[in-house]
């Protein structure tokens, strides 16, 4: 049994959560070099939010910014960033 499978066995109510580092790498892999620092700062601001409501508000702002910068691949790789759970 692998790690993911065993987690499901021991923590059946836990949801899958991607490692933040791999999430950042995945998004930043399609961002132009000159914009990487700014985009990384925006993504980190989401995770530094005080509570869920603030994080969701910041997420929406980041998604709008990615759209306005025409970074649709980065927006797409951000996956469910803006989906409400």
């Amino acid at each position: 049994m692998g790690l993911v499978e065993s987690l499901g066995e021991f923590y059946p109510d836990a949801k899958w959560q991607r490692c933040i580092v791999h999430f950042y790498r995945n998004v930043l892999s399609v961002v132009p070099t000159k914009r990487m620092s700014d985009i990384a700062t925006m993504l980190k601001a989401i995770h530094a939010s005080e509570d869920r409501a603030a994080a969701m508000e910041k997420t929406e702002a980041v998604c709008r910014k990615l759209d306005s910068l025409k970074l649709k691949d980065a927006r797409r790789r951000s996956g469910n960033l803006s989906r409400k759970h």
Side-chain angles (χ1 to χ4, degrees):
M1 177 179 293
L3 178 64
V4 175
E5 293 85 10
S6 64
L7 285 174
E9 184 176 324
F10 290 98
Y11 302 101
D13 295 328
K15 294 181 182 177
W16 175 257
Q17 185 176 21
R18 180 189 282 176
C19 166
I20 293 172
V21 171
H22 289 109
F23 170 75
Y24 289 163
R25 286 181 185 171
N26 190 37
V27 174
L28 294 175
S29 71
V30 294
V31 172
T33 304
K34 68 180 184 176
R35 296 192 189 263
M36 278 187 180
S37 179
D38 292 336
I39 303 303
T41 300
M42 291 189 311
L43 294 173
K44 289 176 185 178
I46 294 169
H47 293 100
S49 297
E50 187 174 321
D51 57 28
R52 183 180 176 91
M56 293 306 297
E57 186 176 317
K58 187 64 177 175
T59 296
E60 293 297 328
V62 168
C63 289
R64 285 192 303 273
K65 184 68 172 178
L66 290 173
D67 288 340
S68 74
L69 293 172
K70 310 279 192 258
L71 296 173
K72 65 181 178 181
D73 287 336
R75 173 69 162 89
R76 186 177 12 253
R77 287 184 182 227
S78 66
N80 64 359
L81 250 186
S82 65
R83 290 187 197 149
K84 303 210 187 307
H85 298 289

